Amino acid sequence: MSAVSRILVLTGSMRSGTSLLGHIMQKKSDGMRAYEDLAFDNDESKRLGSVFSKLRAYTPTEASASSGLLNHDVLDAIDIPAGSLEHRIAALREVFLSEIEQLAPKGPIPKLYGFKRTSINHALDLITALFDDVRVVFTVRDPRDILLSHRKRVNADMRDGNALLILAYALSNHEMILRRQKQGKDTLVIPYERAVRYPVDVTKDILDYCSLAPEKYDFDSLLTSDVPNNSSFGAGGGLEFVKGKGITTTSIGRHKTELDADMSSFVNYLCGHILTSNGYETTLENVDWDPDFEPLLTAMAKRCKQLHISLHAVEARLKELNAPLTDLS
């Protein structure tokens, strides 16, 4: 196992382009590494997912929380074998790196490890404590197009909680970006719309952010139909990439023709600050509370609770808006 203690984390809301960028970072069409010095896992490892799930369920006591994130109580909660604190931390780091090595394309000892995982705000602090140099790349996308994309993926009605829960992810993602920026933590934000229009430029941005020389990357490979398109898991039911379509821009701005006025108003109300801060075009500004929003929020909250998805970011946003409904518990 390499002694490298650098890691790239690619994260964002579901349906915001993480799989597309993950593929670009992971491998070329011939199955070889996209970048020789980067071992990247784009497969959302079940083993790492188990660690994150256990961490999300862990509620620290005041005493354990004050002793730092990487303490025995946390390591007990995520099933790291007993031993000295130093050896247990090393064992957890080994879990991350060995899993990435197993799932990434084979190659020489890398200078950087990386993985893709959507919505890991509960785990970023752990990763930052675990590795000396953590490069975090967030994807963002127009929440209206995210809603449409997720609705299609889960085959649900637009007003169904299973479709609406995606907005909780979008709000959580935005909150996480703002928190890191306020803390002065190095963060790169990639708009989905830019990634599909200018994949070469975006790839160069990520490589530069990770201090990797761009001349080692085969940029011509991004301009072929071998790169999965931006509906990566649509036809495969969440199991595989759509092959042979190339990177397309057909889903940018889809909301203009496919999202009705009432739903557009709801998304603008809840996510207007995301639209503004990322420069997304909207004709709806300062949307006021509408009683019809309450059943939508209730449906979203019910589905989030069924899936154990935090509603903190949604409730925080409603309080910021002085909405009549702020408690979704």
Side-chain angles (χ1 to χ4, degrees), residues 9 24 38 64 94 96 127 139 168 184 200 225 237 259 292 320:
V9 181
I24 289 172
L38 170 63
S64 67
E94 176 83 5
F96 274 81
I127 297 165
T139 55
V200 171
S225 61
L259 198 62
D292 288 341
E320 183 180 81

Side-chain angles (χ1 to χ4, degrees), residues 43-75:
D43 299 318
E44 300 224 38
S45 157
K46 290 183 179 179
R47 190 177 180 193
L48 295 186
S50 175
V51 170
F52 297 146
S53 295
K54 291 170 183 174
L55 181 65
R56 184 168 56 232
Y58 168 67
T59 304
T61 63
E62 185 175 339
S64 67
S66 65
S67 64
L69 186 59
L70 287 175
N71 57 55
H72 285 292
D73 287 343
V74 172
L75 297 169

